[in-house]
């Protein structure tokens, strides 16, 4: 079995750190372009036009699109048949190394500090930082590494709802979060809004963040009922009367993504996460033959990730069935 | 900006900024700056105003524009600086420091994110003859970064780190910025809030009340969190 080398991982991790900080993903840019065409509030419209200018300058000058370069983190999807030189420990070390290198060379803002002493290693690396989340993919020998640099302070909230709250409760909490963090533009909207629904409290937060950061504008949940709710919430958010920076207008939500997890029978926990005007995400796929391919769609939520079954058929089982 | 359909009033201001420069400027005006500006946030305020330490230089000589910012910057091996992008950090957290900051520094312009309340403008900014300019977006880091001609100095890098140090930046056509407060203490954000608040309940129309109430919860959607 051929293995994916640490040299390739070092290179890919560094490249996605640069791309995430500098290049706005095309799906998001197109979403904002469409919104700026429809926006009637002059101030909100000015903000959107300025952002479009800003992304062009960032790309041309190769400088970060926003100086708050967020808190870098990684999502790693490992093909079930993939081999890694040095194993998972070496992979984690490579990701930490790439974070420090990119912080110096892009440069990114060294945002990560100790929560009490406020000590800054000046490289975005520290205790439990950057976070590395893992998932797996059947019948694959590649590794996907995605980095996301999401801002950290505003636009996220959690609430324990109950089954009796229903869709109205979901809408109410969604609106509360948009209104609270939309004023003065603290959420840096228009944002991709990710919603976690169900699971345990921690799962809810994790799913909502992944929904905001790892799906592209225009992507719909394959469950038709959830997909309809995604569209309804986007429309609701854009009907508040508030636009970019909290100015009068309608540009609040570029798109809404909902991810669900089976939850306690008595509850319906929900989280809301706004991924800002600098939606920094970039992905690299490392193939077993040494190749690297870069993209902006993390393709994180595969059918396997959303499985509702006990097991998962192997490729061999599927081909036997269809044969 | 080419082909802007927003069509806002746009001006250029040169630092150091005088009271006369600010007279007659209305909220919602787009501003571009030329000259020297300095970054400074809680670390700087704590050292100078909280701990009573002497500033690294005469503050009014450094710059009378105070940018609430942590740059995406690094220090090269030869001691030179690499500033890629700059954007603002939320200013309302620093309001308590500002009355004395204006006194000590002679500052006339605060640049930041999110602005402050109209009460702060009335009580603190108006007597000091100062205004607040907000960055746009808030993510126009590359545009603002391009407006930096050079780093004049970086004070207290060792003591406060890259994020909190005083960066003295020579800028040219630095913007866009929006006038959030004027010399009379009006706030662009609060004007917009009032317009939006008037219709906010419409978005909630027809939704049933929550199953569980919570301590500390407000149902008044005209409130804001700052």
């Amino acid at each position: 079995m051929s293995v994916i080398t640490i040299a390739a991982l070092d290179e890919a991790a560094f490249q996605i750190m640069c791309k995430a900080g500098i290049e706005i993903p095309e799906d998001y840019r197109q979403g904002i372009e469409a919104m700026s065409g429809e926006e009637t509030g002059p101030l909100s419209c000015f903000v959107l036009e300025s952002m479009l200018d800003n992304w062009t300058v960032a790309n041309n000058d190769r400088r970060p699109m926003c100086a708050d370069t967020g808190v870098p983190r990684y999502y790693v999807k490992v093909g079930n048949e993939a081999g890694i030189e040095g194993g998972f420990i070496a992979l984690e070390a490579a990701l930490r190394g790439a974070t420090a290198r990119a912080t110096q060379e892009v440069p990114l803002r060294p945002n990560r500090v100790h929560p009490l002493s406020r000590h800054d290693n000046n490289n975005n690396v520290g205790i439990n930082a950057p976070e590395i989340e893992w998932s797996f993919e059947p019948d694959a020998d590649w590794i996907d590494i995605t980095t996301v640099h999401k801002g950290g302070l505003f636009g996220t909230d959690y609430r324990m709802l109950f089954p009796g709250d229903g869709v109205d409760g979901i809408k109410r909490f969604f609106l509360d979060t948009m209104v609270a963090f939309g004023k003065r533009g603290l959420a840096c909207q228009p944002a991709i809004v990710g919603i976690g629904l169900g699971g345990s409290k921690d799962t809810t937060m994790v799913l909502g963040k992944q929904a905001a950061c790892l799906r592209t504008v225009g992507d719909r949940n394959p469950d038709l009922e959830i997909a309809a709710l995604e569209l309804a919430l986007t429309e609701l958010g854009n009907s508040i009367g508030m636009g970019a920076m909290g100015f009068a207008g309608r540009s609040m939500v570029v798109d809404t993504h909902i991810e669900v997890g089976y939850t306690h029978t008595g509850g319906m926990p929900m989280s809301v996460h706004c991924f800002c005007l600098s939606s920094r995400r970039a992905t690299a796929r490392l193939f077993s033959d040494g190749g690297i391919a870069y993209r902006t769609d993390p393709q994180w939520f595969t059918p396997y990730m959303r499985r509702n079954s006990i097991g998962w058929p192997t490729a061999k089982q599927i081909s036997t069935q269809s044969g | 900006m080419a082909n802007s359909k927003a069509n806002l009033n746009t001006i250029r201001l040169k630092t150091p900024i005088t009271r006369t420069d600010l007279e007659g400027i209305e909220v919602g005006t787009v501003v571009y700056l030329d000259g020297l500006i300095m970054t400074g946030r809680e670390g700087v305020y704590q050292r100078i105003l909280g701990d009573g330490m002497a500033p690294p230089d005469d503050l009014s000589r450094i710059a009378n524009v105070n940018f609430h910012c942590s740059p995406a910057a690094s220090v090269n091996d030869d001691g030179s600086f690499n500033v890629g992008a700059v954007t603002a950090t939320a200013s309302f957290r620093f309001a308590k420091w500002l009355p004395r900051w204006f006194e000590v520094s002679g500052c006339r312009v605060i640049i930041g994110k999110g602005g402050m309340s109209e009460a702060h403008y009335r009580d603190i900014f108006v007597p000091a003859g100062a205004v607040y300019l907000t960055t746009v977006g808030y993510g126009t880091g590359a545009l603002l970064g391009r407006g930096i001609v050079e780093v004049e100095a970086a004070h207290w890098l060792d003591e406060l780190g890259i994020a909190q140090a005083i960066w003295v930046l020579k800028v040219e056509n630095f913007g866009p910025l929006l006038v959030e407060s004027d010399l009379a203490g009006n706030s662009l954000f609060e004007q917009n809030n009032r317009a939006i608040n008037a219709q906010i309940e419409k978005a909630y129309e027809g939704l049933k009340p929550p199953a569980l109430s919570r301590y500390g919860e407000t149902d008044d959607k005209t409130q804001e969190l700052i």
Side-chain angles (χ1 to χ4, degrees):
Chain A
M1 185 174 72
S2 55
V3 295
I4 292 163
T5 65
I6 283 302
L9 282 166
D10 280 341
E11 171 64 13
F14 177 70
Q15 287 302 329
I16 57 172
M17 288 294 288
C18 300
K19 285 172 178 291
I22 294 169
E23 300 169 10
I24 194 73
E26 186 57 19
D27 60 284
Y28 188 80
R29 196 191 62 75
Q30 284 177 5
I32 295 298
E33 207 163 56
M35 289 189 107
S36 91
E38 289 165 17
E39 180 59 88
T40 52
L43 287 161
S44 177
C45 185
F46 176 76
V47 175
L48 299 182
E49 290 174 345
S50 299
M51 292 311 302
L52 291 164
D53 273 5
N54 183 66
W55 295 327
T56 306
V57 167
N59 206 13
N60 290 347
D61 291 6
R62 303 308 293 166
R63 56 171 89 236
M65 53 186 137
C66 179
D68 183 346
T69 50
V71 279
R73 59 157 57 211
Y74 295 92
Y75 295 91
V76 184
K77 195 181 284 295
V78 183
N80 198 42
E81 332 305 334
I84 308 164
E85 179 194 359
F88 293 111
I89 301 296
L91 172 51
E92 289 204 327
L95 298 181
R96 289 169 79 86
T99 305
R101 185 181 157 204
T103 301
Q104 175 68 25
E105 292 185 23
V106 173
L108 304 175
R109 195 163 88 189
N111 270 339
R112 293 278 197 169
V113 299
H114 188 283
L116 285 174
S117 72
R118 313 309 288 181
H119 174 76
D120 193 335
N121 287 332
N122 275 331
N123 60 10
N124 279 313
V125 177
I127 301 170
N128 280 309
E131 295 88 349
I132 302 174
E133 290 185 47
W134 298 90
S135 71
F136 308 99
E137 190 63 14
D139 305 312
D141 63 357
W142 42 254
I143 296 175
D144 274 357
I145 48 174
T146 295
T147 189
V148 165
H149 308 173
K150 188 181 176 303
L153 303 187
F154 307 115
T156 295
D157 210 350
Y158 162 83
R159 190 176 288 179
M160 176 57 85
L161 299 173
F162 300 93
D165 282 310
V167 170
D168 273 8
I170 293 170
K171 288 182 173 173
R172 177 176 288 281
F173 179 38
F174 175 82
L175 280 172
D176 285 351
T177 310
M178 292 300 113
V179 169
F181 292 108
K183 288 189 177 178
R184 296 174 192 252
L186 295 183
C188 293
Q189 73 266 15
I192 300 177
V193 182
I195 290 178
L197 206 54
S200 298
K201 291 183 183 71
D202 54 339
T203 323
T204 307
M205 290 302 283
V206 168
L207 283 174
K209 182 150 192 163
Q210 292 182 354
C213 299
L214 301 176
R215 288 175 52 190
T216 57
V217 173
D219 176 48
R220 293 278 66 81
N221 192 295
D223 180 312
L224 294 180
E225 194 183 351
I226 295 170
L229 186 56
E230 290 177 340
L231 292 173
L233 290 178
T234 298
E235 195 182 323
L236 187 63
N238 290 332
S239 73
I240 296 169
M242 197 188 291
M245 282 180 78
F247 295 134
R250 51 169 286 113
S251 305
M252 277 298 290
V253 182
V254 188
D255 205 353
T256 306
H257 297 139
I258 303 173
E259 292 299 326
V260 300
Y262 272 41
T263 191
H264 189 289
T265 184
M268 188 171 65
M270 170 170 166
S271 70
V272 180
H273 306 249
C274 293
F275 200 13
C276 65
L277 269 168
S278 302
S279 282
R280 288 169 290 254
R281 62 170 135 80
T283 300
R285 176 163 294 181
L286 294 111
F287 297 95
S288 58
D289 66 1
I292 304 173
Y294 297 99
R295 61 181 200 264
T296 55
D297 180 355
Q299 298 171 17
W300 178 256
F301 288 102
T302 60
Y304 177 73
M305 283 288 282
R306 292 183 176 123
R307 68 197 181 280
N308 196 12
S309 55
I310 293 174
W312 190 258
T314 62
K316 197 175 164 193
Q317 286 167 335
I318 292 170
S319 72
T320 311
Q321 276 170 8
S322 61
Chain B
M1 184 182 314
N3 302 321
S4 169
K5 69 173 183 143
N7 198 25
L8 305 177
N9 262 344
T10 303
I11 60 168
R12 268 177 95 150
L13 290 177
K14 201 169 163 44
T15 72
I17 288 168
T18 65
R19 188 184 171 93
T20 318
D21 291 335
L22 300 174
E23 277 166 6
I25 295 179
E26 293 177 354
V27 296
T29 305
V30 181
V31 176
Y32 290 84
L33 290 177
D34 301 286
L36 285 181
I37 66 173
M38 61 170 278
T39 69
R41 48 185 298 177
E42 66 266 41
V44 172
Y45 296 147
Q46 179 62 45
R47 276 170 85 84
I48 296 176
L49 303 176
D51 304 339
M53 293 180 68
D57 196 352
D58 177 2
L59 285 171
S60 62
R61 264 199 12 212
I62 296 180
N64 75 348
V65 177
N66 175 193
F67 188 10
H68 289 157
C69 159
S70 301
S74 57
V75 183
N76 300 320
D77 290 340
D78 64 0
S80 64
F81 306 110
N82 181 11
V83 178
V86 290
T87 31
T89 193
S91 297
F92 59 85
R93 298 169 288 165
F94 311 140
K96 66 169 182 173
W97 295 111
L98 287 188
R100 286 189 51 223
W101 179 251
F102 284 137
E103 248 173 63
V104 168
S105 70
C107 172
R108 283 214 177 269
V109 172
I110 298 280
I111 305 173
K113 169 181 175 177
M116 304 204 176
S117 69
E118 253 173 8
H120 285 136
Y121 295 137
R122 208 173 42 236
D123 300 342
I124 306 171
F125 281 65
V126 171
V131 304
Y132 186 102
L133 304 179
T134 177
T135 53
V136 173
Y138 294 94
T140 47
L143 283 176
L144 295 177
R146 188 182 256 194
I148 296 171
V149 182
E150 65 177 303
V151 177
E152 284 265 320
H155 300 292
W156 290 345
L157 258 182
D158 292 341
E159 295 86 343
L160 291 174
I162 285 171
Q164 295 270 346
I166 297 178
W167 292 82
V168 185
L169 307 171
K170 187 175 172 196
V171 299
E172 193 178 301
N173 205 24
F174 181 80
L177 307 165
L178 278 169
V179 179
E180 139 70 359
S181 83
D182 59 17
L183 282 180
N186 295 305
S187 159
L188 181 67
F189 284 126
E190 295 210 13
Q191 286 178 359
N192 275 264
N193 280 347
R194 283 191 282 272
I196 293 163
N197 287 344
Q199 54 173 342
I200 228 160
E201 285 302 332
K202 270 203 297 196
Y204 287 84
E205 242 168 39
L207 300 180
K208 63 189 174 196
L212 178 76
S213 294
R214 294 162 178 83
Y215 284 126
E217 195 173 59
T218 172
D219 256 350
D220 181 355
K221 299 306 177 307
T222 65
Q223 295 290 310
E224 50 180 332
L225 301 182
I226 74 166

